[in-house]
Amino acid sequence: MNQSGIYIHFPFCEKKCSYCDFYSIENLSKACIFTNSLLSEIELRSQRHESKPNLSSIFIGGGTPSLLPPESIGRILQSIKSHFSFGEDIEITIECNPDSTLLENLHDYRKLGINRISLGVQSFARDELISLGRLHTPEQAAAAFHSARSAGFDNIGIDLIFAVPGQSARSWSRTIDKALELGPNHISAYSLIYEKGTPLYKSLADGDVSRVRENDEVIYYETIIHRLAAGGYEHYEVSNFALSGKYCRHNLDIWHGGRYFAFGPSAHGYIGNQRYWNVRNIDEYIFLVGKGRLPVSGCEEISGFDCIAERIMLGLRADGIDPGRFQADFGIDIKSDIAGLIESLAEHNFIIPNESNIRLSKKGYLIADELIAKVVLAIEKAMN
Ligand code: SF4
């Protein structure tokens, strides 16, 4: 049976972080009505499929879902359960911020069947947390991590950000030290992006902060790759590292082109070659769902060459492309049709090709976007 995933977007945060362009608002007064709307959206969407889709993962993200009372999360999971079937070893993740992660809530999450925590740590340097506009301290991040462990979570991921303004090689190294000391099962490490419209973007434009030099950014990325490899973490996607068996299933399903349903304002889903995205406004979301309509703002058909390009992009960013499956799905023998490029990239140690997989090397991950563009172009040429 085909596996599916669900992404839930909880659109509230206590305070917006300076770099964040995810959709969330600071006013929590609509959290209750939002939950009711979400239940209606789940119901509305489930009327569109005949049998109950089988789920391998649910990801409750946002926003800051750890602000929602566990009873509300229980209602959401109960509603999902009545419209979808849960795979035997389903992975259910909730994103938590260190300042809103309460031990009693963590115990409740366990009782609800949530089995994975994704903790927004970002940095263990106090000044960096302040410049990112985070509400928590390094100590709160460590305490939240220990609380999750003591509540019985054996699968905890943490997020880190590098190339933060003012970050030194030393402070980044100390953040990695602290992360390794805690020993999470999964680490995501993202380079800071100055998203248009965020306060951080404005600070950059106004000259109040300066970017970390590009060369240093590369060094920070290489540092975490090497340090985590030495700590036993597998680098399974450009920005993601995990201990054996602890890859994030939700991410993997998406990267492998799996189907996922998305609920909540601004959430993006992918069903039957169609990508859709919900309205990015809570009032509009509540209004549409209240009228019995799906709160979809737009959708696009992923077909023809877009499908191929997407498979290449997702595969190369993650754990590679299976040439046999690629040929079966698209009729393209990637190894012989673009043999020259594959050989040249392998010679320069950017990719690692073997019988059943073509994937980026550590060196290749450093320039993933450039390499993906080359492969996509070569395939397009070979097809014409
Ligand atoms: S807590 Fe997360 S979702 Fe909320 S503003 Fe900060 S980064 Fe964005």
Side-chain angles (χ1 to χ4, degrees), residues 256 308 311-312 315-316 319-339 342 351-360 375 379:
H256 291 162
I308 296 172
R311 179 76 67 81
I312 294 168
L316 287 183
D319 53 353
I321 299 168
D322 174 343
R325 190 168 160 206
F326 197 82
Q327 185 162 23
D329 290 349
F330 305 117
I332 299 164
D333 182 351
I334 194 166
K335 289 181 94 173
S336 70
D337 290 353
I338 58 163
I342 301 277
I351 62 165
I352 308 166
N354 62 38
E355 266 317 296
S356 58
N357 193 278
I358 297 172
R359 62 170 301 166
L360 295 185
V375 174
I379 292 277

Side-chain angles (χ1 to χ4, degrees), residues 185-197:
N185 308 85
H186 187 282
I187 298 178
S188 300
Y190 301 101
S191 152
L192 180 67
I193 296 175
Y194 292 81
E195 301 280 6
K196 229 174 176 170

Side-chain angles (χ1 to χ4, degrees), residues 30 54 64 177 187 191 201 219 226 248 251 267 307 345 374:
K30 290 177 182 151
N54 198 44
T64 311
D177 287 343
I187 298 178
S191 152
Y201 183 88
I219 292 171
H226 293 302
C248 172
N251 290 349
C307 244
L345 295 179
K374 274 188 181 169

Side-chain angles (χ1 to χ4, degrees), residues 235-291:
H235 190 182
Y236 74 102
E237 197 265 352
V238 174
S239 308
N240 288 280
F241 306 80
L243 295 177
S244 179
K246 296 295 184 187
Y247 293 5
C248 172
R249 194 177 312 152
H250 181 76
N251 290 349
L252 274 186
D253 286 347
I254 292 176
W255 297 331
H256 291 162
R259 167 169 82 156
Y260 55 97
F261 298 83
F263 302 106
S266 82
H268 284 54
Y270 182 61
I271 305 169
N273 274 2
Q274 195 167 77
R275 193 190 313 287
Y276 70 91
W277 50 95
N278 281 352
V279 292
R280 198 183 153 97
N281 176 294
I282 187 146
D283 294 321
E284 206 182 338
Y285 173 82
I286 291 168
F287 174 79
L288 288 170
V289 174
K291 293 271 174 214

Side-chain angles (χ1 to χ4, degrees), residues 19 122 132 159-165 167 172 188-195 200 211-214 216-218 220-221 224 238-241 317 366:
Y19 59 95
Q122 318 310 355
L132 292 170
D159 287 352
L160 299 176
I161 296 182
F162 62 95
V164 176
Q167 187 177 48
W172 177 230
S188 300
Y190 301 101
S191 152
L192 180 67
I193 296 175
Y194 292 81
E195 301 280 6
L200 192 66
R211 278 179 197 274
V212 163
R213 285 182 312 170
E214 207 179 316
D216 288 339
E217 192 170 331
V218 172
Y220 293 178
Y221 183 49
I224 192 153
V238 174
S239 308
N240 288 280
F241 306 80
R317 285 187 68 86
L366 291 171

Side-chain angles (χ1 to χ4, degrees), residues 13 15-17 19-20 22 24 62-64 97 134:
C13 289
K15 180 182 155 291
K16 285 298 286 183
C17 301
Y19 59 95
C20 177
F22 291 132
S24 64
T64 311
N97 268 346
R134 304 289 299 180

